[in-house]
Amino acid sequence: MGNLIILGSQWGDEGKGKLVDLLAEQFDFIVRFQGGHNAGHTILIGDRKFVLKLIPSGILRPGKIAVIGNGLVIDPVALFAEIDQLTQVGVDAQARLRISNRAHVLLPAHRAMEKRIAIGTTSRGIGPCYEDKAARRGLRVADLIDPQRFVEHFDALAKEHEAMLTAFGIEPDYDLDEVRSQYLDLGARMRPMVCDTALLLNRAIRDGKKVLFEGAQATMLDLDHGTYPFVTSSSASAGGACTGSGVAPTLIGGIIGVAKAYITRVGGGPFPTEMLGEEGEEIRRRGNEFGSVTGRPRRCGWFDAPLLRYTATINHFDTLVITKLDVLDHLDRIPICTEYHGLDEMPALCGVLGGIDPVYECLPGWQTDTSQVKSWDGLPPAARRYIDYLEKQCEVEVGCISMGPERNQTIVKPGSNFEKLTV
Ligand code: GDP
């Protein structure tokens, strides 16, 4: 078994958190490589629900090291809120978390600046923090943990932010002196967890340790490959795992894509297979499709195979995990989009994608509860046919199926790449 990357293959919220939690057992390090506390994985263990935004889901597995890689932007206030929450339920997060000294630090000014962006973002300041990173004026964790450097850098950056906020006509909703002193305290608290995580991971791999890369968001939200400008501000596809962690592509043993048995999207942007009306409402209700970070209702649609073929190409998935199959248990027929009429590639322009005509194939539903099924052969024949059809349409094997939020509501297909990659 090699080092694995787990990625969202749609518009996010595919259930990556559950899969990472499930697989983490077999790995030594679990690494987040992009995004910030705008992500949000929900993991259900028994009757306990954990929503992790910045800290890799692997932290819930005792003894595992969770790494926040260089590709992230970190709001220290949000980070410590999460650490404290985990500590309260007995998870020794602080002892098992390592933070890259090259990750960027998110400030209240970034949040204030996001007020001018209207594409349905989470308003956490993630985009403006990445803007500072790209503009090469950002404040990094290495600065934050050095009090003198921090004060100099913070004060200089605050002047630039003030000028920008004035230009945007935005009134700052924070007190600079309070922020400076709060961040100095949090920097001191963070210091014992900070290191060169690229070095840590590369040494660990050299010594035979195994690393699991935990994607947040998804390829259709990737800054380069997603439905720009309705995207996140980081690299949420396979390449991002390498740049965001400092681990080379040649050290990656496999790439697993996660897709829902249908599809959802939060916020604005084109959505060819969106179900408007009662059908969409029903899926939203059954799938509990409300954002884990913002609580916003997610837009729901039928499985989009052309989209999956596109994200499979970008990431070269070895195998697909289909989640939330149980959410479709009630349907007597299930449409699947097999192509975009007259188009044989993913259009670069949102206007074109928004106007396409999806071509559907309808498969019979199974109208049976799948949530307790324990094996591939135990699935209703119509559910197996649905999965086989998705596999054929996506041109990637489906190696694992999830029919509920619990760890044991998961089926691995015997002989699949998924089995080979994870055993
Ligand atoms: P992530 O960001 O990709 O990890 O996805 P989220 O955590 O935002 O959303 C996944 C949600 O679906 C969580 O509440 C999970 O507990 C839940 N979930 C995961 N897999 C399944 C499944 O197979 N069936 C059902 N019904 N819920 C699932």
Side-chain angles (χ1 to χ4, degrees):
M1 191 185 72
N3 305 305
L4 286 186
I5 304 177
I6 294 184
L7 297 171
S9 63
Q10 297 167 320
W11 276 297
D13 309 312
E14 296 93 348
K16 300 176 288 295
K18 171 186 159 171
L19 187 71
V20 171
D21 170 64
L22 202 70
L23 296 183
E25 177 106 288
Q26 303 160 61
F27 290 83
D28 304 290
F29 291 79
I30 296 92
V31 185
R32 273 279 306 273
F33 52 84
Q34 43 79 223
H37 66 305
N38 56 341
H41 299 305
T42 316
I43 298 130
L44 206 64
I45 302 173
D47 56 0
R48 279 155 79 183
K49 182 172 156 182
F50 299 87
V51 178
L52 297 173
K53 296 169 191 161
L54 262 172
I55 301 180
S57 312
I59 198 80
L60 298 174
R61 292 279 187 181
K64 307 298 174 186
I65 303 291
V67 175
I68 293 184
N70 55 278
L72 277 89
V73 294
I74 304 173
D75 178 337
V77 180
L79 175 72
F80 281 102
E82 224 169 289
I83 290 176
D84 291 345
Q85 232 178 55
L86 286 167
T87 309
Q88 271 169 25
V89 293
V91 179
D92 55 340
Q94 195 136 347
R96 290 189 289 111
L97 184 62
R98 304 287 180 275
I99 300 169
S100 168
N101 51 9
R102 289 165 171 82
H104 277 247
V105 177
L106 192 147
L107 298 162
H110 294 129
R111 214 166 25 246
M113 271 183 255
E114 197 161 340
K115 291 184 178 147
R116 77 190 199 284
I117 302 170
I119 55 165
T121 62
T122 55
S123 306
R124 302 276 147 106
I126 311 292
C129 188
Y130 275 115
E131 283 179 42
D132 273 359
K133 173 179 177 175
R136 289 155 294 177
R137 62 173 165 254
L139 188 107
R140 299 190 299 170
V141 169
D143 302 308
L144 178 70
I145 60 168
D146 175 335
Q148 198 185 336
R149 280 195 63 83
F150 170 71
V151 171
E152 282 169 20
H153 198 141
F154 176 85
D155 287 348
L157 192 55
K159 285 204 182 75
E160 291 204 44
H161 286 162
E162 195 186 327
M164 288 155 83
L165 286 169
T166 306
F168 300 146
I170 296 170
E171 192 69 40
D173 53 1
Y174 51 87
D175 180 275
L176 262 190
D177 293 330
E178 273 174 28
V179 176
R180 190 189 299 105
S181 101
Q182 184 188 28
Y183 273 54
L184 275 170
D185 287 349
L186 294 176
R189 252 189 101 183
M190 202 188 284
R191 200 175 302 126
M193 294 180 270
V194 175
C195 66
D196 179 342
T197 50
L199 193 62
L200 175 79
L201 292 170
N202 279 287
R203 282 185 175 154
I205 293 170
R206 185 197 59 197
D207 295 342
K209 301 274 191 271
K210 294 285 171 257
V211 181
L212 183 63
F213 296 86
E214 171 177 344
Q217 287 101 22
T219 299
M220 292 310 284
L221 295 173
D222 181 281
L223 181 58
D224 287 86
H225 301 290
T227 46
Y228 191 90
F230 298 94
V231 290
T232 197
S233 23
S234 59
S235 299
S237 38
C242 297
T243 48
S245 67
V247 174
T250 42
L251 295 176
I252 305 299
I255 303 178
I256 299 180
V258 187
K260 281 180 195 176
Y262 48 99
I263 188 168
T264 61
R265 139 161 242 173
V266 191
F271 190 168
T273 64
E274 184 164 14
M275 296 176 228
L276 300 165
E278 190 42 45
E279 262 177 335
E281 281 295 329
E282 179 70 3
I283 297 289
R284 184 174 306 124
R285 197 183 54 72
R286 290 178 57 92
N288 191 23
E289 296 296 356
F290 298 90
S292 49
V293 174
T294 60
R296 288 183 294 181
R298 295 175 183 147
R299 298 156 69 193
C300 299
W302 300 118
F303 193 90
D304 186 334
L307 179 147
L308 227 302
R309 289 195 288 271
Y310 171 71
T311 61
T313 302
I314 298 295
N315 298 301
H316 199 79
F317 295 134
D318 293 294
T319 182
L320 269 182
V321 177
I322 298 290
T323 63
K324 295 196 146 186
L325 188 74
D326 54 301
V327 175
L328 306 184
D329 281 352
H330 65 297
L331 295 168
D332 60 350
R333 49 179 270 292
I334 310 174
I336 299 164
C337 170
T338 56
E339 57 177 306
Y340 298 158
H341 184 73
L343 267 183
D344 60 1
E345 61 185 59
M346 181 60 69
L349 295 172
C350 277
V352 177
L353 185 62
I356 62 113
D357 193 7
V359 177
Y360 291 102
E361 184 71 37
C362 257
L363 259 61
W366 43 94
Q367 295 184 290
T368 314
D369 177 12
T370 57
S371 67
Q372 303 309 318
V373 174
K374 296 285 176 256
S375 67
W376 172 251
D377 290 335
L379 280 171
R384 254 179 292 157
R385 219 171 305 134
Y386 183 71
I387 298 289
D388 285 343
Y389 191 74
L390 295 190
E391 186 171 77
K392 200 167 111 240
Q393 283 294 323
C394 298
E395 296 164 10
V396 188
E397 77 150 39
V398 174
C400 176
I401 299 147
S402 166
M403 315 84 51
E406 296 281 356
R407 283 175 181 169
N408 63 4
Q409 292 175 300
T410 317
I411 294 174
V412 175
K413 206 165 162 186
S416 61
N417 287 340
F418 184 91
E419 193 181 61
K420 288 174 198 146
L421 286 170
T422 58
V423 171

